[in-house]
Amino acid sequence: MSPEIDAVRTEIDALDAQLVALIAQRQRWVEAAGRLKTDRDAVRAPDRVEAVIRKVRALAETAGADPTVVERTYRAMIAAFIDLELSVHAGADSRSASAEC
């Protein structure tokens, strides 16, 4: 490999570390939301998903990123977080039911 590609990869690796830290931070908030929501439909929240997509597409344009790449990335991330939030919500439901018994 050339020194140039190594330098580019080093920068990408540094960005990946930052992105993972931000994803972990987002995960903590998603888990908190999952404990607060009243049902599975509230977790899925398709209107909220579309609002987030519109927002990040606009942010992408402002930042000089490809809005389609950002949208596809966010849709994948949101789908993964919905799965996580559903499991958190289900756990919160089972804990609530146990406490009521």
Side-chain angles (χ1 to χ4, degrees):
M1 288 290 152
S2 71
E4 293 85 11
I5 193 68
D6 290 341
V8 168
R9 287 179 175 166
T10 297
E11 292 299 319
I12 290 171
D13 290 345
L15 287 171
D16 285 342
Q18 292 175 41
L19 288 168
V20 170
L22 289 170
I23 289 169
Q25 191 175 1
R26 192 179 199 282
Q27 177 181 325
R28 288 188 286 278
W29 287 112
V30 166
E31 290 169 338
R35 289 187 290 274
L36 296 171
K37 291 183 179 173
T38 55
D39 58 42
R40 295 173 65 84
D41 289 336
V43 171
R44 287 194 172 87
D47 292 342
R48 169 70 177 146
V49 170
E50 292 312 311
V52 170
I53 295 302
R54 284 190 303 275
K55 178 189 69 173
V56 298
R57 283 186 67 88
L59 289 169
E61 289 178 15
T62 300
D66 183 321
T68 301
V69 170
V70 170
E71 178 178 345
R72 290 177 62 195
T73 301
Y74 261 79
R75 285 196 186 277
M77 182 173 63
I78 289 169
F81 275 129
I82 286 172
D83 290 345
L84 173 66
E85 194 173 344
L86 284 168
S87 66
V88 168
H89 177 72
D93 275 354
S94 66
R95 287 190 296 277
S96 301
S98 297
E100 291 172 4
C101 293

